[in-house]
Amino acid sequence: MKGVQRRLVLLGTAWSRSCSYSAFQHYVAPETSLLLSHCYNRDLPRAMQTLDTMERRGVWADAIAYSELIKCCLAHKAVKEGKHVHNHIFSNGYQPKTFLVNTLVNMYVKFNLLEEAQILFDKMPERNVVSWTTMISAYSYVKLNDRAMELLVFMLRDGILPNMYTFSSVLRACERLSDLTQLHSGILKVGLESDVFVRSALIDAYSKMGELLEALGVFREMVTGDSVVWNSIIAAFAQHTDGDEALCLYKSMRRAGFLADQSTLTSVLRACTSLSLLELGRQAHVHVLKFDQDLILNNALLDMYCKCGSMEDAKFIFNRMAGKDVISWSTMIAGLAQNGYSTEALNLFDSMKVSGPRPNYITILGVLFACSHAGLVNEGWYYFRSMKNLYGIDPGREHYCCMLDLLGRAGKLDEMVTLIHEMTCEPDVVTWRTLLDACRAHRNLDLATYAAKEITKLDQHDTGAYVLLSNIYANSKRWDDVAEVRRTMRERGIRKEPGCSWIEVNNQIHAFIVGDKSHPQIDEINRKLNQYIRWLTDTGYVPDTNFVLQDLGEEQSEYSLRHHSEKLAIVFGIISFPREKTIRIWKNLKICGDCHMFAKLVAKQEQRHIVIRDPIRYHHFQDGVCSCGDYW
DNA sequence: ATAGGGTTAG
């Protein structure tokens, strides 16, 4: 008797099981085809209705139908219905196959219900590659990277071999170079390196760790490739401010017959941004028009115009953009502020508060920068003190730095020191450098020495600190101290980076280094330069040798000043461009006081608009004044 | 049934 009963139970199970096996399709409920057709039509209410009827009649559909039903729930974002399907599938002690459970796990992942997915996953009697990969990709998607890596280990321990899906998912979660090296060799071992998904994920992972050569290595071995692989390697260089290489790769991509898509163009624009290539950026803009609706791409375009100092274009783009997000607003606010339009930046922030997205950490930085630039000490304090209450953002090191800059401009050195002591995070090199800059501008020798020493404590090789300190001593004609600083620099093997300026003329970059004589038009440039200096001297200009590092004889320091790279670039710009064209120069070091004055006077005399971008700021010279307000 | 690339500051 007992045996018969057991057999009946088994039969029952077998019968209900057979409903989901395609091998026993003749047992599948006749409603199944109706259910399927509702699912294909994405008619969720009717599909659920059909399911109810089947439940009442005690019949089941097959796995194909259930997985279609789950797709339908996903399409409608119908969480409740999805859970219903889940319960239905497991009702009456039915044990669905791994395939179907995977579909359910995936459903919970897509609904962002990771815990539910994990519970279901844990209960699975057997898990295959797809089960594991679904969970790993879920965790790497939400950046629970440790969890994703951990799951890979468990998976391997379970004897399941990862496939290309697994590797491309887990590579996104990889944070340590040693792990990445292991993953890479694992990929080579199973021969998955030719998969384009794995390849781009590998490139991206190396890029995230700053291992660009490794990334390039993976790329160069490419036998198989698609546009995403190209985009990965181009983005890698663009993001690590090697715009030159990024643009070269872009050209090779085009030569290889691939078209640029949104992602490619975003990286190209970023490369133009970092190289200040306005004209090339404009050319890229033409291609951007094809992807009019792409927010990320438009943000990159906006940033390019801001960073290249063309605010007219930036405003045009910004006003035309349909769905502006925090990044669009932040970019525009910071762009206006950096280019000297502080009031406009603050006005824009006001309209953002009314009709824009919620400001974030970076937005506030732009706002503080605007205050700093315009010397609005009280407003700066207000925004700084209220950012926590108004926007729930804790001031970070960068915010402190902006405030310090603001106080430094206003000459409030004591308040700077107080604020540094008040900082919630440890002051870093940038903090002290800001103090040092202020000390130089306001000639506070003692405090400067203190700041410079703090910098060298943190970074033995900070060229800037030594140069600034030496400049301060030079300003006070303390040549012994200058010599001492120079001796320390020599001992530590520190050399002042040579000043270099670039200008784009006819799609060509012309580079100038201090005292450079290699430019083909150097004679003409020098003739014109001497002409300007003579004329300026006649009108009362005195070379400001305070910025010269070494205690050379006056004549020699005048010579070196006269041939500072930005002067050469300015003169070259004047020779090359018609009057109405803005002369745009970018350089690797901060502009010196003498060149700054030179630029102001020449801009006025020649009625030119000159823009010089240094590593931190922008200087718009027009009508004898500079947008920086003579503080930098 | 499971996978890869792009935007703001520093």
Side-chain angles (χ1 to χ4, degrees), chain A residues 322-354:
Chain A
K324 295 189 261 281
D325 66 356
V326 213
I327 296 184
S328 329
W329 287 87
S330 307
T331 304
M332 194 63 198
I333 290 172
L336 286 167
Q338 286 170 329
N339 282 284
Y341 305 98
S342 305
T343 321
E344 277 188 66
L346 293 175
N347 288 342
L348 192 64
F349 182 57
D350 282 335
S351 33
M352 180 182 182
K353 281 188 278 191
V354 177

Side-chain angles (χ1 to χ4, degrees), chain A residues 3 77 108 159 451 471 508 559 575 584 619:
Chain A
K77 297 190 169 52
Y108 282 120
N471 282 348
Q508 272 209 323
Y559 176 83
I575 296 172
R584 297 171 198 279
H619 303 266

Side-chain angles (χ1 to χ4, degrees), chain A residues 379-627:
Chain A
E379 285 81 352
W381 273 123
Y382 166 74
Y383 288 122
F384 183 72
R385 293 292 184 212
S386 62
M387 57 188 280
K388 174 73 180 155
N389 280 336
L390 292 180
Y391 311 109
I393 302 158
D394 283 310
R397 189 173 282 143
E398 290 94 340
H399 296 103
Y400 278 104
C401 222
C402 264
M403 276 312 290
L404 289 172
D405 196 73
L406 169 58
L407 295 170
R409 262 170 191 276
K412 298 176 185 291
L413 300 182
D414 294 345
E415 281 186 52
M416 285 181 91
V417 175
T418 316
L419 189 62
I420 291 178
H421 287 308
E422 188 198 294
M423 278 172 68
T424 42
C425 33
E426 273 303 301
D428 66 352
V429 181
V430 186
T431 316
W432 295 115
R433 203 177 294 146
T434 311
L435 181 60
L436 185 54
D437 275 334
C439 294
R440 178 182 59 80
H442 299 285
R443 319 256 150 154
N444 186 324
L445 206 62
D446 293 337
L447 199 52
T449 317
Y450 172 68
K453 284 187 176 148
E454 289 295 325
I455 294 173
T456 47
K457 246 192 253 172
L458 290 169
D459 180 2
Q460 288 251 311
H461 298 278
D462 190 294
T463 321
Y466 296 105
V467 173
L468 263 168
L469 196 55
S470 137
N471 282 348
I472 288 164
Y473 287 139
N475 283 353
S476 315
K477 309 247 181 268
R478 283 169 56 172
W479 303 118
D480 290 348
D481 290 318
V482 172
E484 172 68 21
V485 172
R486 293 193 58 210
R487 196 177 56 78
T488 317
M489 286 176 78
R490 246 197 326 275
E491 272 171 18
R492 298 188 180 162
I494 297 159
R495 292 183 53 209
K496 191 183 177 185
E497 196 184 341
C500 193
S501 297
W502 295 269
I503 182 167
E504 184 185 10
V505 176
N506 296 331
N507 286 326
Q508 272 209 323
I509 315 295
H510 297 254
F512 294 92
I513 302 172
V514 213
D516 197 355
K517 295 188 177 79
S518 61
H519 193 275
Q521 281 159 271
I522 192 67
D523 291 337
E524 192 186 351
I525 293 169
N526 273 333
R527 230 181 0 260
K528 191 90 179 161
L529 179 58
N530 289 333
Q531 207 177 310
Y532 280 126
I533 304 247
R534 257 199 312 282
W535 164 76
L536 289 173
T537 314
D538 288 345
T539 55
Y541 156 87
V542 181
D544 183 356
T545 52
N546 279 337
F547 282 82
V548 178
L549 173 64
Q550 302 148 358
D551 58 330
L552 308 159
E554 282 295 303
E555 198 186 47
Q556 227 183 328
S557 47
E558 256 192 64
Y559 176 83
S560 119
L561 257 186
R562 183 179 293 202
H563 296 85
H564 267 181
S565 62
E566 52 267 57
K567 288 200 184 72
L568 301 176
I570 290 172
V571 173
F572 181 61
I574 292 174
I575 296 172
S576 312
F577 291 144
R579 174 154 295 156
E580 59 280 4
K581 192 160 168 65
T582 303
I583 296 168
R584 297 171 198 279
I585 291 160
W586 72 102
K587 55 168 295 161
N588 61 341
L589 302 175
K590 286 182 172 184
I591 186 168
C592 83
D594 187 66
C595 289
H596 197 265
M597 195 199 297
F598 178 85
K600 283 201 288 191
L601 296 172
V602 170
K604 182 169 186 172
Q605 166 69 16
E606 294 285 339
Q607 289 173 28
R608 294 275 189 156
H609 183 192
I610 301 172
V611 184
I612 299 182
R613 167 184 174 184
D614 71 22
I616 309 169
R617 284 183 174 75
Y618 295 78
H619 303 266
H620 288 252
F621 300 96
Q622 211 161 14
D623 298 329
V625 289
C626 176
S627 62

